Amino acid sequence: MRALILSDIHANLEALNAVLEAAAPFDALWNLGDVVGYGASPNETIALMREKAQFNVRGNHDRVCCGLTSALGFNPVARAAANWTREAMTQENREWLAAVPQGPIDLEKAAGIAGVSLAHGSPLNEDQYILTMRDAWAPLQQSTAITFIGHTHLQGGFSQKAHDWHEVRPRYKSRDEADTWALPIPPGTRHLINPGSVGQPRDHDWRAAFAIYDTEAAEIIYHRVPYDVTAAQGRILLAGLPERLAERLRSGR
């Protein structure tokens, strides 16, 4: 099985379409949350996830934008985007987003896929960022073999086998073209895998990020793919969203 893992789309339709085209063919799509927020195409990105994703996990921006929790904890730019998104979404999409489950989702229980779970932030706390080995230690001790996470907008992850611990950072040859990097999954290892952000990367790489989990090859293939940043920026500006949200797409931070 080839499962496409997406996270942090953030209503960036141009990036999402580029990812879906580059990732094909795939057998399943697992969405780790934050479909909306920041970008200017919330209804379009939700429609694609409703159509294509077999599993969806809610993100913190999803939770705020559909009205489950307040935006007061967000910084002013994120708060402005969340308030705009709440008004821009259709009632049907707000209701769908509000019903998306909190992670982690155990795929063995949900679909008979052993050793895999899905979360937005830490599997121990959906709002916690896993940025360092210290952050990863407790979740890895209590997780399934592979837990896919998002939230940080940083592609990579953490791996552990017995007393060996490793931080995973893909190493690409290109900074402008489509590129891939494969991570083998040896037996007996545990992994926290972040596919990166589709719509707003923050690892100084502007390209849309995603991952493919190939169960037969026992590997995870990280991907970066170019997309029409100018069009995505134009949508943000035309919507009247903060200019910072358009500017950061080009720099990837």
Side-chain angles (χ1 to χ4, degrees), residues 97-228:
L97 204 57
V100 171
Q102 174 182 346
I105 297 175
D106 185 335
L107 291 192
E108 184 167 8
K109 295 178 181 177
I113 302 170
V116 178
S117 59
L118 311 177
H120 180 65
S122 167
L124 306 182
N125 181 338
E126 64 177 332
D127 290 325
Q128 180 182 346
Y129 292 90
I130 297 181
L131 295 165
T132 67
M133 194 68 76
R134 184 184 296 274
D135 301 329
W137 189 87
L140 277 174
Q141 300 308 301
Q142 302 177 48
S143 69
T144 52
I146 303 174
T147 301
F148 291 100
I149 60 171
H151 197 34
T152 67
H153 298 214
L154 304 175
Q155 192 177 56
F158 301 89
S159 298
Q160 178 254 332
K161 182 176 183 180
H163 298 294
D164 294 327
W165 296 74
H166 301 281
E167 183 173 357
V168 177
R169 288 285 176 249
R171 296 182 291 273
Y172 295 114
K173 296 178 181 178
S174 169
R175 299 289 292 183
D176 296 303
E177 300 176 353
D179 207 348
T180 63
W181 187 81
L183 174 70
I185 306 295
T189 57
R190 290 181 177 180
H191 302 269
L192 293 170
I193 298 296
N194 193 322
S197 173
V198 172
Q200 196 190 91
R202 294 180 186 166
D203 51 8
H204 301 275
D205 187 334
W206 64 276
R207 297 171 295 176
F210 65 98
I212 295 286
Y213 175 37
D214 189 325
T215 58
E216 293 186 9
E219 66 179 6
I220 291 160
I221 306 103
Y222 291 96
H223 290 253
R224 300 306 281 251
V225 62
Y227 71 97
D228 191 343

Side-chain angles (χ1 to χ4, degrees), residues 79-101:
R79 190 183 312 131
N83 291 334
W84 179 90
T85 300
R86 189 179 302 119
E87 295 300 319
M89 281 192 297
T90 66
Q91 180 64 27
E92 183 180 2
N93 282 337
R94 278 195 298 271
E95 292 174 356
W96 178 84
L97 204 57
V100 171

Side-chain angles (χ1 to χ4, degrees), residues 58 62-70 97-100:
R58 79 177 185 195
D62 300 331
R63 193 179 68 225
V64 170
C65 289
C66 72
L68 289 177
T69 53
S70 169
L97 204 57
V100 171

